[in-house]
Amino acid sequence: MAGWTNRGKYLLLQEFFRNPTEFTNLYIALCTSAVAPTADINTFSELTEIAAGNGYTAGGIALTRNSTDFDVLTQDDATDRAYIRLRNIVWTASGGNLPASGSGARYAILTDDNGTQGSRQVIAYWDLTSDRTVSTGQTLTLQSSELRLNES
Protein backbone atom coordinates (compact mmCIF):
# COMPACT_ATOMS: atom_id res chain seq x y z
CA MET A 1 0.00 0.00 0.00
CA ALA A 2 1.30 3.45 -0.93
CA GLY A 3 1.08 6.40 1.42
CA TRP A 4 1.93 10.07 1.57
CA THR A 5 4.51 11.26 4.08
CA ASN A 6 3.79 14.51 5.87
CA ARG A 7 6.82 16.02 4.11
CA GLY A 8 5.40 14.87 0.78
CA LYS A 9 2.09 16.60 1.55
CA TYR A 10 3.94 19.75 2.57
CA LEU A 11 6.12 19.75 -0.55
CA LEU A 12 3.12 19.20 -2.83
CA LEU A 13 1.29 22.19 -1.36
CA GLN A 14 4.43 24.32 -1.48
CA GLU A 15 5.15 23.48 -5.12
CA PHE A 16 1.59 24.02 -6.33
CA PHE A 17 0.65 27.16 -4.42
CA ARG A 18 3.97 28.97 -4.23
CA ASN A 19 5.76 28.12 -7.48
CA PRO A 20 4.23 30.04 -10.43
CA THR A 21 5.48 27.87 -13.30
CA GLU A 22 2.31 26.27 -14.70
CA PHE A 23 0.08 29.33 -14.38
CA THR A 24 0.66 32.61 -12.61
CA ASN A 25 -2.59 33.26 -10.75
CA LEU A 26 -5.43 31.50 -9.06
CA TYR A 27 -8.84 33.10 -8.50
CA ILE A 28 -11.33 33.10 -5.65
CA ALA A 29 -14.85 33.56 -7.01
CA LEU A 30 -18.26 33.49 -5.37
CA CYS A 31 -21.10 31.23 -6.49
CA THR A 32 -24.76 30.84 -5.59
CA SER A 33 -26.43 27.77 -4.15
CA ALA A 34 -27.98 26.93 -7.56
CA VAL A 35 -25.42 24.14 -7.99
CA ALA A 36 -23.51 22.78 -5.02
CA PRO A 37 -19.87 22.05 -5.84
CA THR A 38 -18.69 18.48 -5.25
CA ALA A 39 -15.51 16.52 -5.80
CA ASP A 40 -16.79 15.82 -9.34
CA ILE A 41 -17.00 19.49 -10.49
CA ASN A 42 -14.31 20.18 -13.07
CA THR A 43 -14.88 23.62 -14.61
CA PHE A 44 -16.28 26.93 -13.44
CA SER A 45 -19.04 26.79 -16.09
CA GLU A 46 -20.66 23.97 -14.10
CA LEU A 47 -21.42 26.43 -11.27
CA THR A 48 -23.46 29.64 -11.06
CA GLU A 49 -21.39 32.72 -10.24
CA ILE A 50 -23.03 35.57 -8.35
CA ALA A 51 -23.97 38.68 -10.31
CA ALA A 52 -21.08 41.06 -10.96
CA GLY A 53 -21.19 44.66 -9.79
CA ASN A 54 -21.35 46.61 -6.54
CA GLY A 55 -17.85 45.51 -5.51
CA TYR A 56 -17.71 42.08 -7.12
CA THR A 57 -15.87 41.47 -10.39
CA ALA A 58 -16.81 38.48 -12.56
CA GLY A 59 -14.24 35.73 -12.15
CA GLY A 60 -13.32 36.79 -8.62
CA ILE A 61 -10.16 38.05 -6.95
CA ALA A 62 -6.74 37.07 -8.34
CA LEU A 63 -4.25 35.37 -6.05
CA THR A 64 -0.58 35.06 -6.92
CA ARG A 65 1.05 31.71 -6.26
CA ASN A 66 3.47 32.89 -3.59
CA SER A 67 3.98 33.13 0.16
CA THR A 68 2.06 36.41 0.42
CA ASP A 69 -1.29 35.20 -0.92
CA PHE A 70 -0.76 31.69 0.50
CA ASP A 71 0.69 32.94 3.74
CA VAL A 72 0.80 29.89 6.01
CA LEU A 73 2.27 26.51 5.02
CA THR A 74 2.49 23.87 7.71
CA GLN A 75 3.63 20.28 8.08
CA ASP A 76 1.75 18.78 11.04
CA ASP A 77 3.26 15.49 12.21
CA ALA A 78 0.87 15.21 15.16
CA THR A 79 -2.15 14.90 12.85
CA ASP A 80 -0.33 13.46 9.81
CA ARG A 81 -1.26 16.23 7.42
CA ALA A 82 -0.01 19.36 5.74
CA TYR A 83 -2.02 22.49 5.03
CA ILE A 84 -1.78 25.84 3.36
CA ARG A 85 -3.79 28.91 4.32
CA LEU A 86 -4.92 31.74 2.07
CA ARG A 87 -4.58 35.38 3.05
CA ASN A 88 -7.85 37.01 4.02
CA ILE A 89 -10.01 37.66 0.96
CA VAL A 90 -12.31 40.70 1.22
CA TRP A 91 -15.11 41.99 -0.99
CA THR A 92 -16.66 45.36 -0.07
CA ALA A 93 -20.15 46.18 -1.29
CA SER A 94 -20.29 49.59 -2.95
CA GLY A 95 -23.16 51.26 -4.78
CA GLY A 96 -25.66 48.62 -3.63
CA ASN A 97 -25.85 45.11 -2.27
CA LEU A 98 -23.29 42.46 -3.09
CA PRO A 99 -24.25 40.50 -5.07
CA ALA A 100 -25.76 43.10 -7.35
CA SER A 101 -28.82 40.90 -7.97
CA GLY A 102 -30.12 37.38 -7.48
CA SER A 103 -29.41 35.10 -4.58
CA GLY A 104 -26.45 35.57 -2.27
CA ALA A 105 -23.03 33.94 -2.30
CA ARG A 106 -23.05 30.41 -0.87
CA TYR A 107 -19.68 29.06 -2.04
CA ALA A 108 -16.16 30.42 -2.48
CA ILE A 109 -14.45 28.71 -5.41
CA LEU A 110 -10.71 28.42 -6.12
CA THR A 111 -9.90 28.22 -9.84
CA ASP A 112 -6.92 28.45 -12.16
CA ASP A 113 -6.40 31.49 -14.43
CA ASN A 114 -7.71 30.30 -17.79
CA GLY A 115 -8.56 33.39 -19.89
CA THR A 116 -12.02 31.95 -20.56
CA GLN A 117 -13.66 32.13 -17.14
CA GLY A 118 -16.09 29.28 -17.78
CA SER A 119 -13.16 27.01 -18.71
CA ARG A 120 -11.27 27.65 -15.48
CA GLN A 121 -10.54 24.46 -13.58
CA VAL A 122 -12.12 24.24 -10.14
CA ILE A 123 -9.43 23.31 -7.63
CA ALA A 124 -11.27 23.66 -4.32
CA TYR A 125 -14.34 25.18 -2.72
CA TRP A 126 -15.56 26.40 0.66
CA ASP A 127 -19.18 26.28 1.82
CA LEU A 128 -20.19 29.59 3.42
CA THR A 129 -23.03 27.65 5.20
CA SER A 130 -25.80 29.95 3.94
CA ASP A 131 -26.48 32.46 1.16
CA ARG A 132 -24.58 35.67 1.97
CA THR A 133 -25.60 39.16 0.89
CA VAL A 134 -23.89 42.30 2.20
CA SER A 135 -25.14 45.89 2.11
CA THR A 136 -23.28 48.92 0.78
CA GLY A 137 -20.20 49.61 2.88
CA GLN A 138 -20.24 46.14 4.44
CA THR A 139 -17.65 43.45 3.69
CA LEU A 140 -17.72 39.76 2.96
CA THR A 141 -14.47 38.27 4.24
CA LEU A 142 -13.01 34.80 3.84
CA GLN A 143 -10.66 34.52 6.78
CA SER A 144 -7.96 31.88 7.30
CA SER A 145 -9.30 29.56 4.59
CA GLU A 146 -7.26 26.35 4.56
CA LEU A 147 -6.55 23.58 2.13
CA ARG A 148 -5.49 20.38 3.89
CA LEU A 149 -3.87 17.21 2.65
CA ASN A 150 -4.31 14.21 4.87
CA GLU A 151 -4.80 10.49 4.46
CA SER A 152 -7.67 8.43 5.69
Side-chain angles (χ1 to χ4, degrees):
M1 178 175 128
W4 283 97
T5 65
N6 294 329
R7 175 53 61 172
K9 296 168 195 170
Y10 176 92
L11 292 172
L12 180 64
L13 290 171
Q14 177 182 27
E15 184 64 23
F16 185 82
F17 289 101
R18 291 186 172 176
N19 184 2
T21 55
E22 184 177 342
F23 44 86
T24 304
N25 295 314
L26 295 168
Y27 284 84
I28 292 283
L30 297 173
C31 288
T32 71
S33 57
V35 176
T38 67
D40 298 324
I41 293 288
N42 293 313
T43 61
F44 196 52
S45 64
E46 297 172 64
L47 301 168
T48 304
E49 188 174 17
I50 67 168
N54 297 348
Y56 182 79
T57 302
I61 293 175
L63 298 172
T64 301
R65 295 171 61 204
N66 60 28
S67 61
T68 300
D69 285 350
F70 295 89
D71 58 358
V72 175
L73 177 62
T74 301
Q75 174 182 324
D76 185 345
D77 290 329
T79 59
D80 292 331
R81 68 177 175 215
Y83 64 89
I84 195 159
R85 187 175 297 151
L86 286 68
R87 67 170 171 83
N88 291 344
I89 309 298
V90 179
W91 289 273
T92 302
S94 60
N97 288 349
L98 189 157
S101 64
S103 58
R106 173 62 190 259
Y107 302 100
I109 309 295
L110 181 67
T111 69
D112 70 1
D113 65 354
N114 189 307
T116 304
Q117 289 176 8
S119 297
R120 289 183 180 167
Q121 297 179 79
V122 175
I123 298 164
Y125 60 90
W126 293 267
D127 187 342
L128 306 179
T129 68
S130 65
D131 290 352
R132 306 294 175 121
T133 300
V134 294
S135 304
T136 298
Q138 303 261 314
T139 61
L140 175 60
T141 303
L142 301 179
Q143 187 173 8
S144 302
S145 301
E146 290 182 359
L147 293 168
R148 297 178 180 180
L149 285 181
N150 52 292
E151 274 185 73
S152 54

